Amino acid sequence: MAWLDRLKDGLVKTRQGVKHSLRLIVDGEITEEALEEFEAELLQADVGVGVAGRLVSRLRTGGSAVRSYSIQVLKDVMMETLLNIQSDSLETLIRKGPKPFVILAIGVNGVGKTTSMAKLASRLKSRDLTPLLVAADTFRAAAIEQLDIWGSRIGVEVIKHRQGSDPSAVVFDGIAAGKARNVDVVLIDTAGRLHTKVNLMGGVEKMKGVLEREMPGAPHEVLRALDGTIGQHALVQAKQFHEALGVTGLVLTKLDGTSKGGIVLAIADELHIPVRLVGVGEQVDDLQDFHAKEFLDVLLEE
Ligand SMILES: Nc1nc2c(ncn2[C@@H]2O[C@H](COP(=O)(O)OP(=O)(O)O)[C@@H](O)[C@H]2O)c(=O)[nH]1
Ligand SMILES: [Mg+2]
């Protein structure tokens, strides 16, 4: 399957790291030295201290140097962890949810919010759902234009105002248009700026207020975008204001070309917020639902 190949390509650096560390413990005896090296390698891939520690302690107590045993322990621990973040796909939530289903994308600047919203809109459209994009990042003209270009490319309408206008006003128009056109899903792209309280929180609260007033229960998904290439820093970021912002799902971007793809495991271990989507490239098809089993199979494939 093309998507799996792309995921595999994307995770190539992370996979190399994991494979290398795996060799440390399956190509010989499980010595204390090998275990320590194994743990260090896993930490390099940013799986986090919790997951790395659990793996090592299970291997240590297992006491068997049999290759298949080690691989099975690795798979079991990783799978148990990944199940923490497995959930229904956004498509399922949208189909089950109210109409329009409202998604608010938030996150620090440059993590991939705009791109992910456009890719998601395209994906939902191909699944016979009607999306509407809302350009609520009014901070820079280029941001509005960026979404507009995506909109024309994928054939999805974009609700926009001029640069510098109040994001909440665009959100108001977006939801009104969504209802009037009877769309299935309204995807709201917001400005990220810095992850300081004032910048990230202020605007989001106001937009959420408008949504709640215009459509009680909305937003139905507060989707936080995190950049996979920054590894553990993404986890730190994700923890900031996450409750105050009411984050309900994550999109993990840029898993291509990073050796820190293990961050998915660290997020699963520490956050327990469902990862709805993963991004592995800049093309429109490079965003897919997160499947724990598929992810693990790709990660550990020989
Ligand atoms: N390689 C790669 N690049 C991505 C991915 N997602 C987004 N990008 C790129 O990251 C940059 C910032 O994305 P953008 O959506 O504008 O971020 P925003 O500021 O959060 O809206 C753009 O150049 C995107 O093409 C991904 O999954 N893989
Ligand atoms: Mg943007």
Side-chain angles (χ1 to χ4, degrees), residues 1-293:
M1 196 209 282
W3 154 252
L4 276 183
D5 286 339
R6 275 203 299 278
L7 183 65
K8 212 183 287 178
D9 287 348
L11 286 173
V12 70
K13 288 189 190 161
T14 307
R15 291 169 58 221
Q16 275 164 1
V18 170
K19 244 184 268 173
H20 179 251
S21 48
L22 199 58
R23 228 170 280 134
L24 288 171
I25 55 160
V26 297
D27 280 356
E29 231 182 305
I30 303 187
T31 61
E32 194 51 36
E33 199 184 358
L35 280 175
E36 272 166 30
E37 216 175 318
F38 176 58
E39 187 170 17
E41 294 262 359
L42 287 172
L43 290 174
Q44 279 287 315
D46 272 358
V47 304
V49 286
V51 176
R54 272 208 301 288
L55 267 168
V56 168
S57 74
R58 279 220 212 159
L59 286 171
R60 193 177 275 138
T61 53
S64 165
V66 180
R67 178 186 167 81
S68 58
Y69 171 80
S70 303
I71 293 174
Q72 197 52 50
V73 168
L74 190 76
K75 280 189 176 161
D76 290 349
V77 171
M78 288 188 169
M79 194 61 197
E80 281 161 23
T81 309
L82 287 175
L83 286 178
N84 287 335
I85 50 169
Q86 177 73 75
S87 68
D88 282 343
S89 71
L90 270 176
E91 184 187 333
T92 305
L93 296 179
I94 291 163
R95 290 193 191 279
K96 281 197 303 203
K99 191 172 172 171
F101 188 93
V102 180
I103 300 174
L104 186 68
I106 61 167
V108 172
N109 212 11
V111 292
K113 292 178 295 299
T114 304
T115 315
S116 296
M117 285 304 97
K119 289 171 177 170
L120 178 59
S122 168
R123 189 176 152 72
L124 294 171
K125 190 182 168 197
S126 76
R127 306 280 302 167
D128 289 328
L129 289 164
T130 317
L132 178 72
L133 286 163
V134 180
D137 178 355
T138 58
F139 199 55
R140 296 171 304 129
I144 302 170
E145 197 188 341
Q146 183 192 4
L147 197 65
D148 216 22
I149 291 169
W150 268 110
S152 340
R153 197 193 300 169
I154 63 177
V156 172
E157 192 184 352
V158 178
I159 302 296
K160 61 185 178 195
H161 285 189
R162 275 199 318 276
Q163 180 200 358
S165 55
D166 183 353
S168 298
V170 190
V171 167
F172 181 91
D173 280 1
I175 197 88
K179 284 196 233 169
R181 310 220 202 329
N182 199 27
V183 302
D184 294 300
V185 51
V186 174
L187 303 113
I188 304 171
D189 181 38
T190 70
R193 287 180 263 175
L194 297 168
H195 45 107
T196 59
K197 188 170 165 60
V198 173
N199 279 332
L200 191 57
M201 296 277 300
V204 173
E205 269 168 12
K206 196 169 167 199
M207 282 185 273
K208 282 174 87 175
V210 169
L211 284 171
E212 175 65 33
R213 214 167 41 240
E214 297 309 308
M215 186 176 180
H220 308 101
E221 172 88 345
V222 178
L223 196 61
R224 187 165 198 169
L226 296 171
D227 178 342
T229 60
I230 63 171
Q232 287 287 322
H233 295 293
L235 187 61
V236 173
Q237 236 172 52
K239 286 178 181 166
Q240 286 170 330
F241 320 120
H242 120 73
E243 267 161 35
L245 290 163
V247 177
T248 52
L250 302 174
V251 45
L252 208 55
T253 64
K254 311 188 197 180
L255 285 185
D256 49 313
T258 174
S259 56
K260 298 178 181 302
I263 190 60
V264 178
L265 283 151
I267 284 172
D269 196 37
E270 293 198 37
L271 277 181
H272 299 206
I273 303 173
V275 171
R276 307 274 194 217
L277 298 156
V278 287
V280 288
E282 298 193 80
Q283 302 308 312
V284 66
D285 293 335
D286 294 337
L287 182 82
Q288 292 282 332
D289 295 337
F290 172 77
H291 290 295
K293 186 175 181 308

